[in-house]
Amino acid sequence: MKHPSSRAFFAYWDAQRGTAPAPERGDIEPSAVRELLGDIFVLSCDAAAGYPFRVAGTRLCALFGRDIKGESLPSLFAVDSRAECQDLLGVVAEESLPLVAGLTCSLRGGTTAHLELLLLPFAPRLHTPLSMTGSLALVGPRIDGDLGELRLAAWRTLGRPSRRLRPRVLRKWEVARGLMIYEGLR
């Protein structure tokens, strides 16, 4: 991880989870990461709604020039990167794997901004909506103006390096049994 905010938040999250795959939402105490709160967000793990922001830090909102609470994280990406972003969010939510991604954004004047996205799952609990947390921080010099559309440059999961992820489409077919009807397919 390149950004100190990402490293510090991951270290705190990792300490809170102990030997579990992910900590519970109540294990993350905002006062313990007070100086990082501007870069931190919480997403609802609702794929149909596009993983909307439940909470977004002030520095994060300032990067986009607006309050992004309620907006979908993939909607901040360029159209050609949205499906991959949605898939990465699904990996974090379904596999309980932390993930870090490098992002780019073209600014007015032809310059490029680099950002780091950290996605961290919460442990699922009965009768509680699934959510995940993370941070999004600018890597490099400050920028003038608001960010435009984001693009994925690179990503990797954190921890469990020996575990290999199977393609998500194939994994979905593995669990399908019996008669399946897909409306709208030809």
Side-chain angles (χ1 to χ4, degrees):
M1 287 178 266
K2 295 178 182 178
H3 200 277
S5 179
S6 299
R7 287 192 303 267
F9 192 41
F10 177 75
Y12 176 73
W13 177 89
D14 195 37
Q16 294 306 105
R17 75 175 169 161
T19 59
E24 291 189 13
R25 198 168 53 188
D27 293 339
I28 303 297
E29 181 60 44
S31 63
V33 289
R34 181 183 343 260
E35 65 280 353
L36 307 175
L37 289 177
D39 298 324
I40 292 175
F41 57 83
V42 176
L43 297 176
S44 175
C45 290
D46 183 359
Y51 297 92
F53 286 93
R54 284 186 178 173
V55 176
T58 54
R59 283 190 296 267
L60 179 56
C61 291
L63 283 174
F64 292 98
R66 64 187 186 279
D67 185 5
I68 58 174
K69 182 180 176 186
E71 288 187 39
S72 160
L73 176 61
S75 72
L76 299 177
F77 284 76
V79 174
D80 59 342
S81 288
R82 286 182 188 162
E84 189 175 10
C85 176
Q86 186 98 5
D87 204 35
L88 293 179
L89 290 164
V91 167
V92 174
E94 295 171 19
E95 305 284 343
S96 286
L97 287 174
L99 184 139
V100 65
L103 310 177
T104 60
C105 178
S106 297
L107 303 170
R108 289 182 216 112
T111 60
T112 301
H114 298 276
L115 298 100
E116 186 169 69
L117 174 67
L118 177 67
L119 296 170
L120 305 168
F122 285 127
R125 293 183 65 188
L126 289 175
H127 311 295
T128 305
L130 283 176
S131 59
M132 72 177 77
T133 187
S135 66
L136 180 64
L138 189 64
V139 178
R142 291 186 172 251
I143 58 169
D144 293 329
D146 306 332
L147 291 180
E149 293 182 325
L150 303 172
R151 294 187 185 283
L152 280 164
W155 65 271
R156 68 181 175 93
T157 57
L158 303 169
R160 297 189 216 160
S162 62
R163 183 174 176 199
R164 181 179 164 95
L165 295 175
R166 294 178 289 174
R168 290 172 51 77
V169 172
L170 295 177
R171 189 174 63 250
K172 288 178 184 175
W173 279 102
E174 269 182 17
V175 298
R177 289 180 177 65
L179 176 65
M180 292 185 298
I181 300 173
Y182 291 97
E183 293 182 12
L185 296 177
R186 295 177 190 234

